[in-house]
Amino acid sequence: MFQRVFILVKAIQKKAKRVALAGLFAGLWVAPFGKSAALSGLYAVPKLEKSFIKAEPIEKRAVYSSANYFHPNPYKYKGEISYSEMKEDLENLFYLLKTSYGGYEIAVGRGLDLEKSTENILEKFKGSETIYSRDFAKAIQEELRGKVIDSHFQIYTGNFPSQWLGFSEHKNAYLSDYFVEAEKKASFLSDNSENPEVQLFPYYREGVLSYRAGVLSVEPVQKISVKTGGTTGGKDGGKTMEIPVKNYPVNNPSGFPYLKEKTTAFSAYIRLESFLDMNTKASEKTFEKFCSAGSRYRSMPNVILDLRTNQGGSHSYEDGFIGSFYFNDSIYENKAQKDIANYIYSRKLEEIYDGCFRLFSYAVAKDMYDLNYGIKLYKKEKNEKMIEVDRQDLKNYSAMLKKQEKSPEKIWSKLYSCEEPAGSSKKAALNAAYENYKSAFNGRIIILLDRNSCSASEEICLLAKEFFGKEKVILVGENSGGCIEYGATTDFYLPNSELSFHIPTSVCSPFMERLDSWHGEGNGIYPDIWSTDEDMAETLVNITKDEGLRGLGI
């Protein structure tokens, strides 16, 4: 896969220097998000041959990109199609799955058989003169469900979330007011061993870390049965009780990168509502400020990163944030220092993402070229110049598309690879720097999550634990959305129904398996300490012992 490049940016605004670090996930679908105008001059051209795994020849056929400017009616679809049109669309979709979906072989291992699925769908609508496109979409979902377990994979049939058909189900937390003291946890679990659905969630109660009984469920739950067996003590000893549970509300995502920062004497609170770059000057300032947080707060004992409602977006934000704490500002002093930081960060990523891969094919190259050409058209409309990152992307994908047009292949490539330095002396120096480097940040990072924290918001949790140490990064809130095992998505529409499909090309499950608290697509990351929004400020005070956090309105 393309090398993940760690880009270092030094921006001077007015009389104050603002140091910003930013990473770039080359090829990420963000349409046209994820690349700040501040990122220029240090972009490394992706080198696919450096991360090549294997390739096989494939058929080339017409594909229809949903990238900017290319869908005839974005996020909408034709109401009705004929049987023959549906058959053509089905062939087109299954071609995309075979050649461009990163999770295809995994889905086949779960029982996916596209020939059988084709027969089933054709039989379902046999004899129909016209077919409603939404019924067609639902038939596809039924055939793929259970084999494709992927929160990024979606069918878009309209402008509202209720019209988006997905392929994973989220389990929400339903919490009771029944608490178990830490020393009685083992006894409680033993008493309830025949009812494994009942769980104990680490939770602060009156300043003491206890365990709160509850359940995780896709379907609504009103009460749970708890058996005490007399071992947990109290008046309820030896009873089986019916305990009411509640799913506590959370805020809705705004979808915009609003940034908020507050401080106390001992803690910095940083909230970012989205990792999307909206291609505006305001969002570029937000990006640079977020990615320079380490310059302001590296000496703080506690850094609280609030990613509740943040549904993800560009990896540039997470790389920039982590890099700004991991490295001292001295890395900006000269090119040699920047090269060292680039190498350390890239090699660390290569290690973390070992076993992850991404697919390239004719369809993927076509979509990524269309995406970046759309950025060019967008900039032209705004009378703005393309930044260097976008120009390089367009050039690279143009070359890749031409190669695929001549000799179409399905190519498996490492998700991340680190460029080895030329020259034995330089290589030895960089290797020594990597082996001996220690994080510039010695404090604690507390990341707040909820059910709407997805994708890049989940990825940054693992990256933070890998870079700063598991014991120094505490996850707080509720289980996240569960949307990270697949990524680097492409977007296509079907030529007749015009249904749009969000199709990931990468597989990241080996990456997430490094995090013990990851529980799969839809289930998400379980926090180290659970908390509802209404208890969050008190929970943070209990963790940090910083009384000043109560007045920040968290």
Side-chain angles (χ1 to χ4, degrees):
M1 172 48 193
F2 288 168
Q3 180 186 11
R4 184 165 180 170
V5 183
F6 188 62
I7 301 174
L8 311 177
V9 180
K10 191 172 185 180
I12 299 177
Q13 296 189 349
K14 297 182 179 180
K15 294 182 179 179
K17 288 186 178 181
R18 175 178 296 160
V19 180
L21 295 87
L24 173 67
F25 179 28
L28 174 68
W29 181 90
V30 282
F33 315 120
K35 295 163 187 173
S36 168
L39 307 183
S40 60
L42 289 169
Y43 180 71
V45 178
K47 295 181 179 179
L48 191 59
E49 66 275 9
K50 295 290 184 181
S51 52
F52 175 81
I53 299 175
K54 64 177 181 176
E56 62 182 34
I58 57 173
E59 171 194 3
K60 187 187 82 171
R61 61 180 298 167
V63 294
Y64 305 87
S65 172
S66 291
N68 308 345
Y69 295 89
F70 292 96
H71 193 296
N73 197 6
Y75 301 117
K76 294 184 180 179
Y77 62 99
K78 289 182 179 177
E80 298 178 354
I81 54 175
S82 68
Y83 187 84
S84 61
E85 287 176 328
M86 181 199 70
K87 185 177 180 181
E88 181 185 355
D89 276 4
L90 200 57
E91 292 173 354
N92 189 284
L93 172 62
F94 287 175
Y95 167 78
L96 292 172
L97 293 184
K98 287 180 180 179
T99 64
S100 307
Y101 176 43
Y104 174 70
E105 282 75 18
I106 297 173
V108 169
R110 295 192 182 112
L112 178 63
D113 183 339
L114 293 185
E115 290 186 5
K116 182 63 176 177
S117 294
T118 299
E119 292 176 6
N120 292 343
I121 293 175
L122 292 180
E123 181 64 27
K124 180 180 180 69
F125 295 105
K126 187 177 180 179
S128 302
E129 293 185 5
T130 58
I131 298 160
Y132 290 109
S133 293
R134 185 162 176 83
D135 290 341
F136 176 40
K138 287 183 176 179
I140 294 170
Q141 183 190 38
E142 289 172 7
E143 282 297 321
L144 300 186
R145 181 176 282 165
K147 292 94 172 179
V148 173
I149 303 175
D150 179 350
S151 301
H152 270 119
F153 194 112
Q154 289 184 316
I155 308 174
Y156 289 88
T157 65
N159 285 318
F160 302 100
S162 61
Q163 296 173 299
W164 302 349
L165 305 181
F167 294 87
S168 71
E169 294 182 308
H170 182 71
K171 289 185 177 180
N172 290 310
Y174 291 82
L175 303 177
S176 73
D177 287 331
Y178 187 89
F179 287 82
V180 175
E181 297 172 6
E183 61 270 20
K184 296 178 181 177
K185 176 187 175 184
S187 297
F188 178 90
L189 293 176
S190 176
D191 292 343
N192 290 275
S193 59
E194 295 180 0
N195 188 10
E197 291 184 356
V198 174
Q199 298 187 45
L200 291 181
F201 302 99
Y203 207 104
Y204 273 99
R205 184 193 190 196
E206 297 178 354
V208 178
L209 186 58
S210 305
Y211 290 88
R212 190 170 185 176
V215 65
L216 292 169
S217 175
V218 173
E219 301 299 328
V221 179
Q222 293 183 335
K223 60 184 179 179
I224 58 174
S225 295
V226 172
K227 184 179 179 181
T228 66
T231 58
T232 54
K235 296 179 180 179
D236 57 347
K239 294 182 179 179
T240 297
M241 302 179 295
E242 296 289 322
I243 303 175
V245 293
K246 177 181 177 181
N247 177 237
Y248 287 80
V250 298
N251 292 321
N252 293 321
S254 69
F256 290 89
Y258 297 129
L259 179 65
K260 180 191 297 183
E261 294 184 5
K262 298 180 180 180
T263 60
T264 69
F266 306 103
S267 305
Y269 171 78
I270 304 166
R271 174 172 172 79
L272 186 63
E273 295 188 21
S274 173
F275 284 155
L276 293 180
D277 185 342
M278 311 305 293
N279 260 327
T280 64
K281 290 183 178 179
S283 68
E284 287 171 7
K285 288 181 179 179
T286 294
F287 173 76
E288 292 178 3
K289 187 174 182 180
F290 182 74
C291 292
S292 64
S295 296
R296 299 185 297 280
Y297 306 126
R298 200 181 296 119
S299 61
M300 280 285 191
N302 304 298
V303 174
I304 301 167
L305 177 58
D306 190 348
L307 298 180
R308 291 174 295 176
T309 76
N310 187 323
Q311 294 182 304
S314 170
H315 297 245
S316 303
Y317 284 88
E318 59 191 89
D319 286 338
F321 181 87
I322 288 176
S324 73
F325 283 91
Y326 194 65
F327 297 104
N328 277 313
D329 292 348
S330 60
I331 63 168
Y332 301 101
E333 291 177 356
N334 54 58
K335 184 179 183 300
Q337 290 292 93
K338 293 176 185 178
D339 287 346
I340 290 173
N342 274 334
Y343 180 78
I344 291 172
Y345 197 84
S346 296
R347 184 167 163 183
K348 186 88 171 169
L349 287 178
E350 183 179 51
E351 174 188 319
I352 294 170
Y353 286 90
D354 183 45
C356 303
F357 68 88
R358 184 182 174 184
L359 291 182
F360 286 91
S361 66
Y362 168 72
V364 174
K366 180 71 165 61
D367 181 70
M368 297 313 302
Y369 172 79
D370 287 351
L371 166 63
N372 286 276
Y373 188 69
I375 293 174
K376 179 179 179 179
L377 297 178
Y378 174 82
K379 292 292 186 180
K380 187 175 181 180
E381 280 187 3
K382 298 290 185 180
N383 292 318
E384 298 176 1
K385 293 182 179 180
M386 289 184 74
I387 61 175
E388 182 62 22
V389 170
D390 292 333
R391 284 197 296 269
Q392 286 285 357
D393 273 358
L394 184 58
K395 180 180 177 180
N396 295 335
Y397 285 116
S398 176
M400 182 182 291
L401 179 58
K402 289 178 181 178
K403 186 175 181 180
Q404 283 284 342
E405 286 174 336
K406 291 180 180 179
S407 180
E409 289 183 308
K410 180 178 179 178
I411 302 172
W412 285 261
S413 179
K414 294 178 184 178
L415 195 56
Y416 297 117
S417 60
C418 178
E419 285 285 335
E420 287 296 325
S424 58
S425 60
K426 186 175 182 180
K427 183 176 181 179
L430 288 177
N431 283 337
Y434 175 78
E435 296 295 338
N436 297 320
Y437 189 80
K438 303 296 181 184
S439 170
F441 177 66
N442 295 311
R444 176 169 47 188
I445 295 179
I446 302 167
I447 302 178
L448 311 188
L449 301 171
D450 67 11
R451 70 201 67 166
N452 292 315
S453 304
C454 303
S455 194
S457 288
E458 296 172 302
E459 184 176 28
I460 196 173
C461 296
L462 175 57
L463 289 178
K465 284 181 177 283
E466 291 282 348
F467 274 86
F468 303 110
K470 293 181 179 180
E471 71 286 351
K472 290 187 176 181
V473 178
I474 303 173
L475 309 181
V476 181
E478 64 176 13
N479 58 312
S480 62
C483 184
I484 190 59
E485 289 191 2
Y486 307 86
T489 52
T490 50
D491 283 76
F492 298 94
Y493 70 93
L494 302 181
N496 298 308
S497 62
E498 296 179 2
L499 291 169
S500 288
F501 287 79
H502 204 40
I503 302 177
T505 63
S506 69
V507 173
C508 309
S509 47
F511 165 79
M512 291 308 298
E513 287 169 2
R514 298 172 69 99
L515 185 62
D516 294 338
S517 56
W518 171 251
H519 289 265
E521 293 286 285
N523 296 324
I525 299 170
Y526 291 7
D528 301 307
I529 299 172
W530 293 70
S531 178
T532 62
D533 283 356
E534 65 185 39
D535 290 341
M536 186 59 74
E538 194 65 28
T539 299
L540 292 174
V541 170
N542 285 320
I543 294 171
T544 63
K545 310 305 179 187
D546 182 357
E547 296 288 338
L549 291 172
R550 286 197 177 93
L552 296 189
I554 298 175

